[in-house]
Amino acid sequence: MSAGAEAGTGEDPGAAAARLTGRPATRRRPLSAMLTEVTLDGGQTVMVKRGDDPGAVEAEAAGLRWLADAGTVRVPAVHGHDRHWLVTDQVPVGRPSARAAARFGRDLAALHAVGAPAFGAPPPDGPTDAYIGMAPMRNVTGTDWPRWYTDHRVLPYLRRAVDDGTVRHGEAEVIERACERLPELTGPAEPPARLHGDLWNGNVLWGADGQAWLIDPAAHGGHRETDLAMLHLFGCPHLDQVLDGYQEVAPLAEGWADRVGLHQLFPLLVHTVLFGRGYAGQAVTVARAALAR
């Protein structure tokens, strides 16, 4: 069941789970203001997430289904959603291991290889106006990655950060100059990959089944190195093993390590918009390093 008759925003997470799954809720355990663990009649435990931003739940549900359709990485199944609520499988959490990391790397490479219709393409049933975390993210398509990345991933957040006073005009000029050089710095052309899109460590769950599971996607068509750059930016257990597994399946183009910072400009500026000036300095440092190459 997806969208249908839905209650108002004052609905209880247990009631929302019951309505969307057709099974009564027997237990509720709040994990945060937006996330609740709910046990359904029969013993199954699901995660119930509330999202009030327009299109946020629709985008996340579509992203999870699009990733699952690839048959590669593991993602929680979607049991129901409407404009305000998303019900998915609970992933019993275990501990990260080198073996699970290598398998995750191989699965991630296979996911990327499934591809997307274009850079910026949303999941087939997902909205154009989506989100990355709590920041709006517009999925406008393009065929030339450097230009698309500049126009639809870097500059929108840079402009907002400047308007907010978080990035100074002189710093913005450094980032803009780095964007102008992207065509010569980004390596050989790559086809659009099917990206998770927000692949920081917090969105990788190490399951009790010994495998890595991905949650909270900002799924779209993009450059495969962007997902890997996100793993580098905020750290990931056994990252070397993840990369080794990835390279076994789909070797990265020569010089990929030198391009990590360029792919981090997007998430760094998103974090600048959401969390402030600390990330602005990192974005400017990355841009200056690119200009020095």
Side-chain angles (χ1 to χ4, degrees):
M1 178 177 181
S2 58
E6 64 179 87
T9 56
E11 188 177 21
D12 171 82
R19 174 172 55 82
L20 290 166
T21 65
R23 296 163 62 188
T26 60
R27 188 177 73 89
R28 304 158 184 79
R29 185 167 76 96
L31 302 179
S32 71
M34 307 302 287
L35 190 65
T36 302
E37 185 181 273
V38 174
T39 302
L40 301 174
D41 187 37
Q44 182 183 10
T45 301
V46 295
M47 305 303 293
V48 182
K49 184 176 181 180
R50 177 170 165 170
D52 292 333
D53 292 321
V57 172
E58 180 187 0
E60 184 170 343
L64 287 169
R65 289 193 295 264
W66 197 43
L67 299 183
D69 286 347
T72 55
V73 295
R74 279 140 187 86
V75 296
V78 176
H79 293 293
H81 72 92
D82 59 23
R83 287 187 299 166
H84 299 290
W85 299 101
L86 174 67
V87 182
T88 64
D89 276 340
Q90 179 208 45
V91 178
V93 178
R95 295 174 62 86
S97 69
R99 182 176 180 178
R103 178 166 184 170
F104 170 42
R106 293 191 294 269
D107 290 345
L108 183 62
L111 170 69
H112 290 164
V114 171
F119 298 113
D125 53 349
T128 297
D129 292 309
Y131 289 84
I132 177 165
M134 297 180 68
M137 183 185 79
R138 189 165 174 77
N139 283 319
V140 177
T141 61
T143 56
D144 177 75
W145 184 80
R147 186 170 189 175
W148 170 83
Y149 183 69
T150 296
D151 291 347
H152 302 295
R153 288 297 180 263
V154 176
L155 293 185
Y157 302 96
L158 179 61
R159 289 171 185 140
R160 179 171 165 184
V162 170
D163 289 345
D164 292 344
T166 314
V167 172
R168 303 182 183 104
H169 287 283
E171 295 170 329
E173 290 173 1
V174 174
I175 295 171
E176 289 167 349
R177 289 203 308 272
C179 288
E180 290 170 2
R181 289 195 58 197
L182 277 179
E184 65 186 272
L185 295 175
T186 51
E190 296 256 359
R194 186 169 303 192
L195 299 190
H196 175 279
D198 192 10
L199 197 57
W200 73 288
N201 180 47
N203 287 339
V204 181
L205 298 183
W206 301 92
D209 59 359
Q211 302 192 56
W213 293 69
L214 302 186
I215 61 170
D216 296 349
H220 63 280
H223 196 300
R224 61 187 181 134
E225 291 178 12
T226 304
D227 264 355
L228 297 175
M230 282 285 283
L231 288 176
H232 279 84
L233 182 58
F234 298 109
C236 177
H238 305 290
L239 181 56
D240 287 344
Q241 283 73 31
V242 174
L243 293 171
D244 287 346
Y246 191 101
Q247 299 255 43
E248 285 178 24
V249 174
L252 295 162
E254 184 178 353
W256 69 268
D258 295 329
R259 297 188 289 271
V260 167
L262 292 171
H263 288 271
Q264 290 175 345
L265 274 177
F266 165 44
L268 283 171
L269 288 168
V270 169
H271 278 70
T272 299
V273 166
L274 292 176
F275 304 116
R277 173 130 187 102
Y279 291 100
Q282 292 184 56
V284 174
T285 297
V286 163
R288 285 186 175 134
L291 290 171
R293 285 169 57 186

